[in-house]
Amino acid sequence: EFFSLYGVNRARNWHDFLVALSHQTAPVLNYLYADQDGNIGYSLAGKIPVRSRSPSFLPLEGWSRRDEWQGYIPFTELPRLYNPPEGVIATANNKPVDGSYRHTISGFFEPPYRIQRIRSLLAEKNRWSVDDMAKMQMDVVSLHAKTLLNHLRADLSQLVVDGAKTKNVADRLLKWDGHCHGDSVEAAIYHVFYHRLTVNLLMPLLGEELFFGYTEIFNQSLVPVDRILANPNSVWFTDCSRLKLVARSLEQAVDELAHALGGNIARWRWGRIHTLFLNHNFGRLAFLRPCLSLGPFPSFGDNTTINLGFYRHSDPYRHTVGASLRAVIDFSDWRNSGFILPSGPSGHPFSPHYGDQATLWRSGRRISIFGSKPADRCLVLTPERCGTNEGTKPNPGIEVVEELPKDG
């Protein structure tokens, strides 16, 4: 939707911004707005069909007209915020409306944990600096882990009381603060434990093929599994109690970690199994991978942390999805703004800029939009000049400046 993006880039105010978004068709996207006058806004944009009945995840009767779309949700009725009273707007692919909204947008949103963590941090104080916002982007507290472990507290406490062989690791989980740093032992124990919980709960009933199909998008299965685990009286525990499921899954987690990382529990660090490869497209060819890929790096976070460390049940615990761009913008002084990419701005493996941002990205640092000193090389694009006296239109010029003057 280039026309919509063109309008957004030229918008001078909230009205212009909305006019541009009204042309958005697909994909449906969350847009955030801010300006130098201190105004903030949010709008969903894109064409969402109005359906004649409640949407289903099952195939519909394509030969029947009763499931035909009834047009699209009017743009003016899509979710929107402008200068809300709380003074902040946050979005993390979460459900943007409550039950009072009369249209159906989708049945698939990210679990609520990331947006809850963001809102919790934003509520801690009224004034935020650029560095404060950058620090928030690196937050790795897993509210999902804290919530689930609270649901399982009685079962884990029972293992400690019974003196089970997993007593020590159960006690560690009960005392854990939910931080998923790369050097966290508890984060490693928890995520292997959660993987085993999910496998042991679902796979006996679903079978291997359906299990991996259902859980391939990790966060699709996360909330339903959490609801089951939160209720010890669920029908899912008719043949095997939740306590037995927890005990068996924790034993398997301990065995898996000991096999992979050795018997010294101090070496069971999350970053040793939760690793990140930054791959070039051609790196999918095995013989090219060593010279094109960056990593592996010890990684951080999980599927629900602000600093996303997404992995899949089919390939635990390899970090596969994360921030493709981090940016902090200061509208009061653009010189304070900065950004960072996971690897570098160049896709050429032999360029010095192929991976020169990887270390900065991993450590939470950023590059100033303006830079602190003149670059050694600069690409200058000269716009085309129209209507010359000679009646010709010279081609746009591209000038490469090898060495910039010392004074910039």
Side-chain angles (χ1 to χ4, degrees):
E1 295 296 332
F2 292 107
F3 186 77
S4 182
L5 292 176
Y6 175 78
V8 166
N9 285 328
R10 294 182 61 84
R12 309 292 295 179
N13 50 50
W14 176 242
H15 175 266
D16 293 350
F17 182 76
L18 292 180
V19 170
L21 294 188
S22 68
H23 299 285
Q24 178 82 16
T25 299
V28 177
L29 297 172
N30 293 306
Y31 282 87
L32 292 173
Y33 171 92
D35 61 34
Q36 289 181 318
D37 295 326
N39 299 304
I40 57 174
Y42 158 82
S43 179
L44 191 66
K47 298 293 187 182
I48 302 176
V50 175
R51 305 175 190 274
S52 55
R53 55 176 175 162
S54 297
S56 171
F57 291 108
L58 300 175
L60 300 176
E61 299 174 359
W63 58 88
S64 171
R65 296 188 61 84
R66 67 174 183 166
D67 292 317
E68 294 288 335
W69 293 354
Q70 309 298 309
Y72 298 97
I73 300 176
F75 176 70
T76 55
E77 296 181 19
L78 292 177
R80 184 181 301 171
L81 288 172
Y82 185 66
N83 289 336
E86 57 269 27
V88 296
I89 296 175
T91 177
N93 292 326
N94 54 288
K95 189 174 182 178
V97 294
D98 57 25
S100 64
Y101 187 70
R102 71 187 190 95
H103 297 295
T104 298
I105 296 177
S106 173
F108 183 43
F109 299 98
E110 285 295 289
Y113 304 106
R114 288 184 80 216
I115 190 64
Q116 288 174 357
R117 177 62 177 170
I118 293 170
R119 288 170 176 164
S120 174
L121 291 175
L122 288 174
E124 290 182 357
K125 55 184 181 180
N126 294 324
R127 298 186 66 84
W128 289 78
S129 68
V130 168
D131 289 339
D132 289 336
M133 299 305 296
K135 182 179 179 181
M136 185 192 297
Q137 291 179 340
M138 298 298 292
D139 186 87
V140 289
V141 172
S142 176
L143 287 190
H144 171 246
K146 295 177 69 173
T147 301
L148 183 63
L149 289 175
N150 188 52
H151 289 320
L152 302 179
R153 178 166 294 275
D155 295 336
L156 292 170
S157 299
Q158 189 64 47
L159 296 179
V160 174
V161 171
D162 292 345
K165 73 175 186 177
T166 56
K167 171 184 175 180
N168 289 337
V169 294
D171 191 51
R172 276 179 173 265
L173 290 179
L174 289 170
K175 296 175 180 177
W176 181 41
D177 61 5
H179 280 80
C180 296
H181 298 297
D183 59 358
S184 171
V185 171
E186 290 78 12
I189 295 171
Y190 169 76
H191 288 98
V192 179
F193 169 54
Y194 181 76
H195 173 67
R196 298 312 311 173
L197 271 176
T198 306
V199 171
N200 291 332
L201 178 68
L202 299 181
M203 191 175 288
L205 181 64
L206 301 183
E208 184 173 336
E209 182 178 1
L210 186 55
F211 169 81
F212 285 116
Y214 176 57
T215 62
E216 180 64 12
I217 302 177
F218 188 103
N219 289 357
Q220 175 178 273
S221 62
L222 188 141
V223 171
V225 168
D226 287 355
R227 288 173 179 166
I228 295 171
L229 293 174
N231 179 13
N233 299 315
S234 168
V235 295
W236 284 79
F237 302 122
T238 301
D239 298 325
C240 175
S241 70
R242 190 181 72 177
L243 175 59
K244 289 182 178 179
L245 178 73
V246 168
R248 178 157 61 100
S249 299
L250 195 55
E251 287 180 9
Q252 292 174 345
V254 169
D255 291 342
E256 182 178 332
L257 285 164
H259 177 75
L261 303 177
N264 184 356
I265 195 171
R267 294 179 57 81
W268 296 1
R269 296 188 295 274
W270 179 223
R272 294 189 66 193
I273 60 174
H274 185 51
T275 56
L276 172 67
F277 271 100
L278 296 174
N279 295 314
H280 192 283
N281 280 338
F282 291 159
R284 297 178 182 180
L285 302 175
F287 72 96
L288 291 176
R289 191 173 301 128
C291 59
L292 297 180
S293 298
L294 302 175
F297 304 112
S299 202
F300 36 67
D302 69 9
N303 295 49
T304 65
T305 52
I306 297 176
N307 192 1
L308 193 65
F310 186 97
Y311 64 89
R312 303 179 188 277
H313 283 296
S314 60
D315 187 17
Y317 305 88
R318 187 168 65 89
H319 186 175
T320 56
V321 179
S324 58
L325 168 70
R326 295 196 194 103
V328 181
I329 307 300
D330 185 348
F331 284 88
S332 65
D333 188 346
W334 290 97
R335 293 170 296 181
N336 294 329
S337 303
F339 71 96
I340 199 70
L341 300 172
S343 54
S346 174
H348 195 302
F350 301 107
S351 166
H353 303 299
Y354 181 65
D356 60 349
Q357 295 185 29
T359 300
L360 302 176
W361 181 85
R362 293 177 58 235
S363 62
R365 288 179 286 173
R366 58 192 183 276
I367 296 172
S368 172
I369 289 178
F370 289 91
S372 57
K373 61 180 180 179
D376 293 331
R377 293 173 59 86
C378 180
L379 180 66
V380 178
L381 303 180
T382 304
E384 181 178 9
R385 297 185 300 275
C386 300
T388 62
N389 293 335
E390 293 78 9
T392 60
K393 293 183 178 180
N395 292 326
I398 299 180
E399 175 189 3
V400 178
V401 179
E402 297 291 345
E403 297 291 339
L404 290 179
K406 296 301 181 183
D407 59 0

